[in-house]
Amino acid sequence: MTEFIRKRVQNVKNDVLSGITVALALVPEAVAFAFVAGVDPLVGLYAAFMVGLVTSIFGGRPGMISGATGALAVVMVSLVSEGNAMGNPDENLGLYYLFATVILMGLIQISAGVFKLGKFVRLIPHPVMMGFVNGLAIVIFRSQLGMFPDLVSEGTTFFGNTGQWFQELFSNLEFWKMFGLVVLTMIIMWGLPKMKATKKLPEALIAILVVVGIVVFSNLDVDTVGSFIRDGGGEGLKGGLPTLHLETFSKIPMNFDTLKFIFPYALILAAIGLIESLMTLNLIDDLTETRGNSNRECVAQGSANILTGLFGGMGGCAMIGQSIINIKGGGRGRLSGITAAVMLLIFIVFASSYIEQVPIAALVGVMFMVVIGTFAWSSFRILNKIPRTDVFVLVLVSGLTVIFDLAIAVLAGVVVSALVFSWENAKRIRARKRLKEDGTKVYEIWGPLFFGSISAFNEKFDVKNDPQHVEIDFVEARISDHSAIEAIFALVEKYHAEGKSIVLKHLSEDCKVLLYKSSPVFSGIIEEAIDDPRYHLAANPEDFTKPLSEYKF
């Protein structure tokens, strides 16, 4: 009993400490992802708090951390931009369209959980997963380049005026100050994990604090979170408890045109959120050697996004990086995620003025390190070790993620992988032919019989020149779909039209059911008698009423 209590207390301590660490790491990334989406940083922080809290309590994977993510943010950019263009510049309609979209996104995700669609994440091939993380890393990298000031003035080109180009390049102090701070942030984050004294603290937070200290004490004139918000027309980061944003339903028209505008975005965001969440769930399952509930996670993610949309958040999903930080820090229970969310709210309410002082360069440096950690560098190493079709899928998904979005890329990758799989299996259909003593011709079929292998299957038979009696032995084959049923039916009709008899043997029980249901023709040509040793071994023991020596094997 004492040992049980000690372990429980130890788990509580690990969950709380790990949750605090994760909360510290969430602050800079939530703000940075809000910048990626083109919204107020508070929108990202509220999303991280609410999504993290709801999924930690009700989700299907204890220990998994959710919040605002780059995968969703890169899709939200065009949504917010198009929404703003629908009204006056001071109306900021894009933000309200975002809230409505996040609510609809949540409803779609709940539907996926209710209809138990979470299990379909298992159909995503590994090359598709690698392609998606590579494409996501590239998209985040490109979005951060826009945070840098222009290197040279517009119209100045290297070949047009080389001297002026070099002069502006080396005299652009604003650019080089930001570049130096970005590199410094990345160096600190790269070096800190190697120091034992800092292993319990998030390197992102330490790097940001160091850069903030340098900027404040040296009085460097650089862009900060506060100046960025004010340059965009905001009034600064005013922290407080999230409030209900019912004005969303009065700011934008509640009609079919609005639904037509936000639904495609909601569908894409819901798909991206669920794919990333369920992929993270599977990863945490492997790390902890436990099993999560994918359908429950879908419902929890949807509920969290509805809540964050109502309270002015940008929505979110599971975060791979923060989840791994939590698991490696000892966080295994729901308390770790709850602690992270509550601590994040405390930071929002009491430390918003300090967040405004964070240099943009520090956040860009953090995001560049996220890019480096996200990109699957191992994909270069295995390019010559995997099938060329998998290489094609990996590159295709990466490219489509950059050009379009994650949902389209993953869908295309899955479709291409499925077509490649079908093509490869279609070539595996085989038929061995032999004649029995009574002149009956036997076709022994090997391989899967489905829509892709029908053409090859039909080529195996010589209806006109075959003898009067034909048997087709399916002992090593399976009938998989309607195309296969139709092919067999057409083959039977051809033999009957030639006045020849045909018998189908060794069909599995499920294949028999399919054929019997499709046409009464099969009732007279399927042989039910079992004359193969493999079928005797699978038979019911109660059928063996005679001594074993009396059976022929």
Side-chain angles (χ1 to χ4, degrees):
M1 184 66 179
T2 304
E3 180 67 16
F4 174 78
I5 295 174
R6 188 188 67 79
K7 288 184 177 180
R8 297 296 294 178
V9 172
Q10 181 70 21
N11 288 338
V12 169
K13 184 190 74 173
N14 289 339
D15 284 342
V16 171
L17 291 178
S18 182
I20 293 173
T21 303
V22 170
L24 295 172
L26 279 172
V27 173
E29 290 201 12
V31 173
F33 288 136
F35 280 133
V36 172
V39 297
D40 192 298
L42 203 57
V43 176
L45 291 168
Y46 282 155
F49 159 64
M50 286 181 284
V51 174
L53 182 64
V54 173
T55 55
S56 295
I57 297 174
F58 302 106
R61 173 69 266 176
M64 192 165 76
I65 304 297
S66 297
T69 64
L72 299 179
V74 294
V75 178
M76 295 173 180
V77 176
S78 56
L79 166 64
V80 174
S81 177
E82 289 184 42
N84 286 333
M86 294 182 180
N88 298 323
D90 58 340
E91 287 184 294
N92 202 20
L93 286 184
L95 188 62
Y96 295 103
Y97 277 111
L98 173 62
F99 296 156
T101 303
V102 169
I103 294 172
L104 182 57
M105 162 192 172
L107 292 173
I108 295 173
Q109 290 177 325
I110 289 177
S111 300
V114 170
F115 291 105
K116 302 186 184 303
L117 302 181
K119 59 186 177 182
F120 287 104
V121 74
R122 291 176 291 184
L123 297 178
I124 300 177
H126 191 66
V128 175
M129 293 185 179
M130 295 186 73
F132 121 78
V133 297
N134 289 350
L136 176 61
I138 295 171
V139 169
I140 295 175
F141 175 77
R142 289 176 58 188
S143 69
Q144 294 306 294
L145 293 179
M147 294 292 183
F148 283 86
D150 292 334
L151 188 60
V152 294
S153 58
E154 187 177 353
T156 303
T157 60
F158 178 79
F159 295 103
N161 193 335
T162 305
Q164 183 180 352
W165 189 88
F166 275 111
Q167 182 180 0
E168 291 188 14
L169 172 67
F170 292 111
S171 61
N172 192 342
L173 293 180
E174 186 179 355
F175 174 86
W176 290 111
K177 282 190 293 186
M178 181 169 182
F179 179 82
L181 292 174
V182 168
V183 172
L184 177 61
T185 304
M186 296 175 67
I187 291 174
I188 294 172
M189 291 184 65
W190 171 77
L192 282 177
K194 305 179 187 300
M195 301 170 60
K196 294 182 179 180
T198 60
K199 284 190 175 180
K200 289 295 183 181
L201 296 174
E203 59 269 15
L205 180 72
I206 297 176
I208 288 173
L209 290 176
V210 171
V211 173
V212 168
I214 293 173
V215 170
V216 171
F217 290 110
S218 63
N219 200 25
L220 278 178
D221 183 19
V222 295
D223 288 336
T224 63
V225 171
S227 66
F228 184 88
I229 296 172
R230 285 185 285 273
D231 290 343
E235 299 179 358
L237 185 62
K238 296 182 178 179
L241 293 173
T243 57
L244 200 60
H245 278 60
L246 293 179
E247 64 267 26
T248 298
F249 303 103
S250 60
K251 289 282 187 178
I252 59 176
M254 293 290 108
N255 54 30
F256 180 74
D257 289 335
T258 297
L259 180 63
K260 188 168 67 172
F261 169 59
I262 67 173
F263 182 77
Y265 283 107
L267 188 61
I268 292 171
L269 290 170
I272 293 173
L274 290 183
I275 289 171
E276 187 159 356
S277 297
L278 296 178
M279 285 172 57
T280 305
L281 184 145
N282 287 341
L283 176 62
I284 302 303
D285 282 352
D286 292 338
L287 291 175
T288 60
E289 297 182 353
T290 56
R291 297 294 299 173
N293 188 321
S294 58
N295 293 314
R296 180 174 176 177
E297 186 64 32
C298 292
V299 175
Q301 291 286 340
S303 303
N305 282 311
I306 292 175
L307 184 68
T308 190
L310 291 172
F311 279 86
M314 62 182 282
C317 63
M319 309 179 76
I320 296 177
Q322 276 65 26
S323 297
I324 294 177
I325 290 173
N326 186 45
I327 295 300
K328 290 186 176 180
R332 293 292 189 273
R334 299 187 184 276
L335 182 60
S336 59
I338 296 171
T339 301
V342 172
M343 289 302 299
L344 182 60
L345 180 62
I346 292 174
F347 296 155
I348 295 171
V349 174
F350 298 108
S352 58
S353 60
Y354 298 104
I355 296 175
E356 286 191 11
Q357 300 179 37
V358 175
I360 295 296
L363 298 179
V364 173
V366 170
M367 294 309 300
F368 279 167
M369 291 304 291
V370 170
V371 167
I372 293 173
T374 301
F375 196 91
W377 300 101
S378 61
S379 57
F380 293 114
R381 188 177 66 252
I382 65 173
L383 285 180
N384 61 342
K385 300 178 181 178
I386 61 177
R388 284 178 293 178
T389 53
D390 286 344
V391 174
F392 174 76
V393 170
L394 194 158
V395 175
L396 175 69
V397 174
S398 298
L400 292 179
T401 302
V402 174
I403 299 171
F404 298 104
D405 56 66
L406 175 61
I408 292 176
V410 170
L411 179 61
V414 170
V415 169
V416 172
S417 297
L419 290 175
V420 169
F421 176 81
S422 299
W423 177 258
E424 292 299 323
N425 277 274
K427 297 186 294 184
R428 292 176 182 171
I429 195 77
R430 296 287 186 271
R432 188 173 70 177
K433 307 165 189 177
R434 60 184 176 87
L435 288 175
K436 298 172 72 173
E437 294 180 358
D438 61 359
T440 301
K441 188 173 183 178
V442 179
Y443 290 89
E444 295 180 359
I445 307 299
W446 278 269
L449 189 57
F450 67 110
F451 66 91
S453 60
I454 295 305
S455 179
F457 173 76
N458 289 329
E459 292 173 0
K460 309 297 181 186
F461 298 91
D462 187 2
V463 177
K464 290 187 177 295
N465 298 319
D466 276 347
Q468 192 67 26
H469 302 289
V470 174
E471 292 180 359
I472 304 179
D473 193 335
F474 289 93
V475 67
E476 298 290 348
R478 290 190 65 83
I479 299 171
S480 303
D481 59 10
H482 179 67
S483 298
I485 296 174
E486 286 298 314
I488 295 174
F489 179 79
L491 185 64
V492 169
E493 290 292 296
K494 289 179 181 178
Y495 276 108
H496 285 175
E498 293 290 331
K500 300 175 181 179
S501 68
I502 182 171
V503 175
L504 310 182
K505 299 176 62 176
H506 293 151
L507 286 161
S508 63
E509 290 302 319
D510 55 335
C511 293
K512 290 178 185 177
V513 170
L514 288 175
L515 293 176
Y516 285 145
K517 289 173 65 176
S518 66
S519 172
V521 171
F522 294 108
S523 299
I525 62 175
I526 294 178
E527 185 177 287
E528 294 284 354
I530 298 174
D531 60 357
D532 188 276
R534 283 167 288 188
Y535 286 85
H536 284 297
L537 293 175
N540 190 330
E542 295 179 359
D543 295 335
F544 293 95
T545 56
K546 297 182 293 183
L548 191 61
S549 58
E550 296 186 24
Y551 290 97
K552 290 183 179 181
F553 292 104

